[in-house]
Amino acid sequence: MADNDVTIGVDYGTLSGRALVVRVRDGAELGTAVHPYEHAVMDTVLSAHRNEPLPPDWALQVPQDYINVLKNAVPAALAEAGVSPHQVVGIGTDFTACTMIPVLKDGTPLNELPHFEDRPHAYVKLWKHHAAQGQADRINELAHQRGEGWIRRYGGFISSEWEFAKGLQLLEEDPEIYSAMDHWVEAADWIVWQLTGSYTKNACTAGYKAIYQDGAYPSPEFLAELNPEFAEFVQDKVDYPIAPLGGHAGSLTPEAAQWTGLSEGIAVAVGNVDAHVTAPAANAVEPGQMVAIMGTSTCHVMNGERLSEVPGMCGVVDGGITEGLWGYEAGQSGVGDIFAWYVENQVPHDYDLEAQNAQLSLHELLTLKSQEQPVGGHGLIALDWHSGNRSVLVDHELSGLVVGQTLATTPEDIYRALLEATAFGTRTIIEAFNDSGVPVRELVVAGGLLKNTFLMQTYADITNLPISTITSGQGPALGSAIHAAVAAGLYDDVRAAGEVMGGRTSDAYTPDPDRVEQYNALYAEYKRLHDYFGRGGNDIMRRLKAIRRRAHIQEAHTS
């Protein structure tokens, strides 16, 4: 390893991609740049083609937007870092997941074919595409009926976000697109394909999102019971050799070198998921350290020494985070998204003017206004299900709720209740792990929401855990750069690279005993609502979503 060797990590988020230049010998972050996706998230209209309306619960993207990140963010990060492209020894990438692209044999996305550009199913199905809940329900029901062993590795539920539910929806709603598709590819693998010229399937998404356990996918017999035309889904659309995390996926092609301004032939790391690469970036890969990557959503990942079944977890995969340990994943589908929705849609204009005059964001103003009130002073409890529930209920037909509003309720009251609701959701996940013999001893937080110190203290008080914080402001991108260093052969494994290039501040926030006790009383109310609306006590949320879908279908037929 030379003193000036650097790697580049590219983090593909929900709305933009970020490139980060990192010095390999010590993890110093030398330069960064962000490039927003031109089409952002298409969740109401197909803006890539004539703004045609989309049904509820859809979320699509355009693959070319990902290429444009390579063309713009990577050269800009290099320029900011002031390093020569010849110093770059490797590049690694991470992606939101499960984000799926239907492609031809050569990797061409189907939406790029002129005769398919008007077909929504030809586009990327983003992680938060939740329109396959009906297919997910059928997968789960059949798996339990047949006693499929793999269902227990996913907490008893396959999510509508995952590969098989989305693939079954594609088959049943647009069989022509399904037939034309040669590969059903995770975006994490597709971007590596574009960098190297060859398709490499990563072990992380295969295990967590594609139901790959103990060397096998669900059987053709199982798939045929779902739909006879789905029987060969694995063989025809999914199956491909799987590469280990931190592995060498290939070398940078001349075309990709031209896009990025990097040198042809440098190492490209096997693809990975944004949450999972963050654990080594926070130097938090030991059992008992749960890493919460808090942004638009929150993903909770941690290693364990043994295999356990945790109800409602997203999955457990041997080596899913680091080699030699069982990697666990859980998550919340909406966190920062909920706060953003509230600020953008529910806050009066005079608050906006007050924030502008104080040179604050609305989030900062609402936090300041709410943080001095006593615990429970707003008289509210909220359910954090505005984007459905990923863990532990695994049901995207659920929706948000605020109980206790009166004519005296203020915007900051509701904002604080939403902050607390997401912390209650994380506590629910932690308790599921603790009760299943996978103890959580430390909560390590990464992601954009770290900047809200009141939110972090609230999480410490509600979970009654010390909270450590990642030292990097770019956790996923740093994690990808760490994997690139391993792929380039500069470290023996990801754990060793993370010890040098990653880092965290231990016990940055510690629980306040008085607030812990006060929040325990509120959490008991949260749990009552959680179980009543989430475990069958009242299915009104599902019924309302069904009514909404029928209304949109009727409107489409009459227009």
Side-chain angles (χ1 to χ4, degrees):
M1 178 192 314
D3 283 349
N4 63 352
D5 283 348
V6 300
T7 55
I8 293 179
V10 183
D11 168 38
Y12 284 92
T14 299
L15 294 172
S16 63
R18 175 182 298 276
L20 180 68
V21 181
V22 182
R23 192 164 58 206
V24 176
R25 63 179 170 85
D26 59 3
E29 298 175 12
L30 306 178
T32 187
V34 177
H35 185 72
Y37 304 146
E38 287 80 357
H39 297 89
V41 178
M42 299 182 292
D43 52 9
T44 56
V45 297
L46 191 65
S47 60
H49 184 79
R50 299 179 183 174
N51 288 328
E52 295 176 8
L54 292 171
D57 302 319
W58 279 59
L60 306 178
Q61 288 192 321
V62 176
Q64 185 60 41
D65 290 351
Y66 307 147
I67 298 297
N68 290 340
V69 170
L70 298 175
K71 292 180 176 180
N72 291 275
V74 173
L78 273 176
E80 182 180 277
V83 302
S84 165
H86 300 295
Q87 294 174 236
V88 181
V89 297
I91 183 170
T93 58
D94 66 82
F95 236 101
T96 62
C98 174
T99 294
M100 301 304 302
I101 310 178
V103 303
L104 300 177
K105 287 182 179 178
D106 64 358
T108 301
L110 295 191
N111 71 285
E112 295 181 4
L113 304 180
H115 55 292
F116 286 151
E117 64 181 356
D118 63 340
R119 305 276 278 273
H121 279 292
Y123 288 80
V124 177
K125 284 185 173 62
L126 185 62
W127 65 269
K128 63 177 183 176
H129 175 92
H130 293 143
Q133 185 63 51
Q135 285 79 10
D137 290 342
R138 287 160 51 203
I139 290 171
N140 293 325
E141 182 180 2
L142 181 61
H144 287 291
Q145 285 178 0
R146 288 172 52 100
E148 299 285 346
W150 47 260
I151 194 69
R152 296 192 299 273
R153 300 276 180 96
Y154 300 93
F157 300 95
I158 298 300
S159 170
S160 68
E161 296 180 2
W162 296 171
E163 281 191 29
F164 278 66
K166 287 174 174 172
L168 184 56
Q169 184 200 14
L170 172 56
L171 167 67
E172 295 178 337
E173 296 184 7
D174 197 333
E176 185 181 4
I177 293 289
Y178 182 88
S179 178
M181 171 180 72
D182 291 309
H183 296 292
W184 186 227
V185 180
E186 278 277 1
D189 295 326
W190 183 82
I191 200 66
V192 172
W193 192 346
Q194 306 315 297
L195 289 168
T196 64
S198 59
Y199 181 20
T200 302
K201 195 173 182 70
N202 77 85
C204 183
T205 55
Y208 292 105
K209 317 302 180 187
I211 322 181
Y212 184 79
Q213 293 285 350
D214 299 327
Y217 295 97
S219 68
E221 293 76 20
F222 173 83
L223 300 178
E225 283 197 49
L226 291 170
N227 186 316
E229 299 300 317
F230 204 51
E232 303 304 320
F233 175 64
V234 169
Q235 177 181 318
D236 293 347
K237 313 293 185 182
V238 172
D239 199 14
Y240 212 78
I242 294 173
L245 304 181
H248 184 278
S251 300
L252 197 68
T253 66
E255 182 180 28
Q258 185 177 21
W259 292 340
T260 57
L262 301 177
S263 299
E264 177 186 346
I266 65 170
V268 179
V270 170
N272 210 326
V273 179
D274 49 5
H276 301 72
V277 299
T278 303
N283 193 15
V285 297
E286 298 304 319
Q289 294 177 308
M290 175 175 278
V291 182
I293 301 86
M294 296 179 60
T296 55
S297 63
T298 294
C299 191
H300 306 77
V301 297
M302 66 180 295
N303 280 320
E305 293 178 327
R306 63 186 181 88
L307 174 64
S308 295
E309 296 170 8
V310 182
M313 67 179 173
C314 299
V316 55
V317 176
D318 188 6
I321 302 172
T322 49
E323 189 176 356
L325 294 169
W326 288 93
Y328 292 85
E329 178 190 343
Q332 294 165 268
S333 293
V335 180
D337 265 358
I338 298 175
F339 311 152
W341 161 81
Y342 181 71
V343 165
E344 291 167 6
N345 295 282
Q346 305 294 320
V347 179
H349 181 58
D350 60 334
Y351 275 64
D352 190 29
L353 294 176
E354 183 180 351
Q356 291 180 37
N357 291 334
Q359 296 185 322
L360 298 170
S361 71
L362 271 172
H363 292 280
E364 291 169 331
L365 178 67
L366 290 167
T367 298
L368 286 173
K369 283 178 173 288
S370 67
Q371 67 185 14
E372 297 304 323
Q373 64 182 227
V375 173
H378 49 47
L380 304 173
I381 288 287
L383 291 176
D384 52 318
W385 300 343
H386 296 65
S387 193
N389 181 283
R390 185 183 295 165
S391 299
V392 297
L393 299 171
V394 200
D395 188 348
H396 292 287
E397 293 289 273
L398 299 175
S399 50
L401 179 72
V402 180
V403 173
Q405 296 177 93
T406 71
L407 294 178
T409 300
T410 65
E412 56 266 30
D413 291 340
I414 299 174
Y415 187 77
R416 175 162 172 168
L418 293 173
L419 299 184
E420 293 167 344
T422 66
F424 291 143
T426 286
R427 175 169 170 176
T428 303
I429 291 168
I430 290 170
E431 289 184 350
F433 276 82
N434 288 337
D435 293 345
S436 302
V438 187
V440 180
R441 292 183 286 270
E442 178 185 9
L443 188 60
V444 183
V445 176
L449 294 181
L450 264 177
K451 61 187 177 184
N452 189 327
T453 57
F454 173 68
L455 180 65
M456 293 301 101
Q457 184 61 51
T458 300
Y459 268 64
D461 295 335
I462 287 177
T463 63
N464 196 23
L465 282 173
I467 290 183
S468 302
T469 57
I470 189 171
T471 53
S472 172
Q474 320 295 341
L478 174 58
S480 287
I482 287 171
H483 281 72
V486 177
L490 302 186
Y491 289 97
D492 290 339
D493 54 38
V494 171
R495 185 196 296 256
E499 289 175 355
V500 176
M501 298 175 68
R504 75 185 189 284
T505 300
S506 297
D507 298 347
Y509 300 88
T510 55
D512 177 277
D514 290 338
R515 289 197 294 269
V516 167
E517 184 176 351
Q518 293 160 357
Y519 271 125
N520 282 340
L522 284 181
Y523 179 67
E525 301 300 334
Y526 174 91
K527 284 291 290 181
R528 290 187 182 96
L529 289 175
H530 175 281
D531 292 348
Y532 179 64
F533 287 103
R535 300 191 187 276
N538 190 329
D539 285 334
I540 186 173
M541 294 176 177
R542 279 179 164 264
R543 296 196 300 273
L544 288 174
K545 287 230 176 162
I547 291 170
R548 180 181 182 226
R549 278 193 288 269
R550 287 196 298 270
H552 279 270
I553 292 170
Q554 183 177 7
E555 181 183 34
H557 286 166
T558 57
S559 62

